[in-house]
Amino acid sequence: MVTYRELLKKQTAVLEKAGNDNALFDACELMGKALGADCRGGAFESLLAGEAETSVKAEFEGLCQKRVNGEPLQYLLGEWEFYGLTLKVGKGVLIPRQDTETLADLAVAKYKKTDNIVVADLCSGSGCIALALEKHLKCREVWAVEKSEAAAGYLKDNLALNHSAVKLVMGDVLDSDTANKIPAADLIVCNPPYLTADDMAALQTEVTHEPKEALYGGEDGLDFYRAVTRIWKDRLKQGGTLIYEIGAGQEDDVMQIMVQHGFENVRCRPDPCGIMRCVMGTKNEHLTERTE
Ligand code: GLN
């Protein structure tokens, strides 16, 4: 007889041999998926002692093979956690990253004492930021803007899964017609595509499975910061805040773009690794009177 524990050991070795640095973690997660059980739960240990069913064995080995071929663990699991929320993910949507929790932290810290705010999340993807802010702030309305039909499919599932009242607007954030579909907001957050052409040429295998349109921010990675700042500053109330996630080393350029558009108190903030991960600023009183 073959037990699940033996299968786990064997596939962990297969993943390790393929260069996976988290082989045991990934193998446990995939075993949990194949078994339909929570591999972090207390019952998992005793399940592992059992004799492996042929169909579960085949499912597990198939998942491990896909992982060896570079498919992201998160896509294989079909679910991932962000800010304490469980979200559906899969081909066609960017996987929520821990980096992005920095943006959520900043927004929550800034608005936790304010009631009744209107929030807009641009380039919402899975909806991870919109959902986190809806849960942790006292919002009157949260709007999520997404262009991709595939991503929006996951977003809708995630709204349902989390019993959310977030309102989805289908549209391109680079189109001012999209901005006109949303009321003036107290807070606009955006994790746009920000990888450069050079970054795109050197992607980790896993990331090549993710949608290019969620990653590529133009030759210098800054296309969305330029256009979104210009188009969406009019959708921000006076005194409102715009917070961006940025890529490593983009803080000076993005701060400069916001300053050029009249934002005040423009600053950058690091993620837990010390990399500048967010740029934020406040819309000043006279911003809408400026001409460009
Ligand atoms: N943080 C992602 C990465 O490094 C990029 C996501 C984005 O462009 N917003 O792959």
Side-chain angles (χ1 to χ4, degrees), residues 94 97 99 191-195 207 210 214-216 245 277:
L94 190 81
R97 284 148 164 79
D99 297 340
N191 173 20
Y194 55 64
L195 299 189
V207 185
E210 294 186 85
L215 297 167
Y216 183 51
E245 177 172 318
R277 186 54 65 193

Side-chain angles (χ1 to χ4, degrees), residues 29-254:
E29 292 282 333
L30 294 173
M31 178 63 94
K33 170 80 180 169
L35 275 168
D38 179 0
C39 71
R40 297 172 210 183
F44 192 62
E45 268 302 305
S46 52
L47 271 178
L48 288 182
E51 181 173 358
E53 276 178 41
T54 318
S55 61
V56 178
K57 177 175 184 284
E59 164 87 4
F60 174 57
E61 288 171 349
L63 287 166
C64 289
Q65 192 50 51
K66 288 183 178 173
R67 188 70 195 95
V68 164
N69 294 340
E71 284 192 41
L73 177 70
Q74 296 90 333
Y75 281 0
L76 296 174
L77 298 175
E79 276 184 7
W80 198 242
E81 203 186 286
F82 178 84
Y83 225 71
L85 298 164
T86 298
L87 301 172
K88 297 278 178 200
V89 294
K91 196 137 196 77
V93 72
L94 190 81
I95 297 162
R97 284 148 164 79
Q98 198 167 3
D99 297 340
T100 304
E101 297 196 342
T102 301
L103 193 165
D105 281 340
L106 287 170
V108 170
K110 170 118 188 140
Y111 282 97
K112 64 175 180 242
K113 297 202 178 107
T114 316
D115 286 346
N116 231 11
I117 58 171
V118 175
V119 178
D121 173 28
L122 312 182
C123 309
S124 193
S126 63
C128 60
I129 304 172
L131 283 161
L133 298 186
E134 179 189 48
K135 181 158 179 215
H136 290 275
L137 292 173
K138 296 185 202 83
C139 302
R140 185 165 81 223
E141 288 169 5
V142 180
W143 296 80
V145 181
E146 179 50 51
K147 173 180 73 168
S148 150
E149 293 283 348
Y154 294 98
L155 203 160
K156 286 178 200 160
D157 286 351
N158 288 329
L159 299 188
L161 188 66
N162 290 285
H163 312 289
S164 167
V166 168
K167 299 173 207 284
L168 170 62
V169 169
M170 288 303 298
D172 187 348
V173 299
L174 306 182
D175 180 349
S176 49
D177 286 347
T178 309
N180 292 332
K181 292 181 183 158
I182 288 189
D186 299 277
L187 169 64
I188 296 181
V189 292
C190 179
N191 173 20
Y194 55 64
L195 299 189
T196 66
D198 287 346
D199 293 333
M200 294 302 290
L203 289 181
Q204 212 189 314
T205 315
E206 280 79 1
V207 185
T208 63
H209 290 262
E210 294 186 85
K212 184 178 171 211
E213 61 192 321
L215 297 167
Y216 183 51
E219 184 70 27
D220 66 357
L222 301 172
D223 284 2
F224 281 74
Y225 301 107
R226 294 189 196 93
V228 168
T229 309
R230 176 171 51 77
I231 294 168
W232 288 84
K233 68 178 189 222
D234 293 339
R235 290 288 84 213
L236 209 49
K237 294 181 190 171
Q238 302 296 347
T241 308
L242 172 61
I243 314 180
Y244 284 119
E245 177 172 318
I246 59 163
Q250 291 177 328
E251 61 271 19
D252 289 345
D253 288 326
V254 177

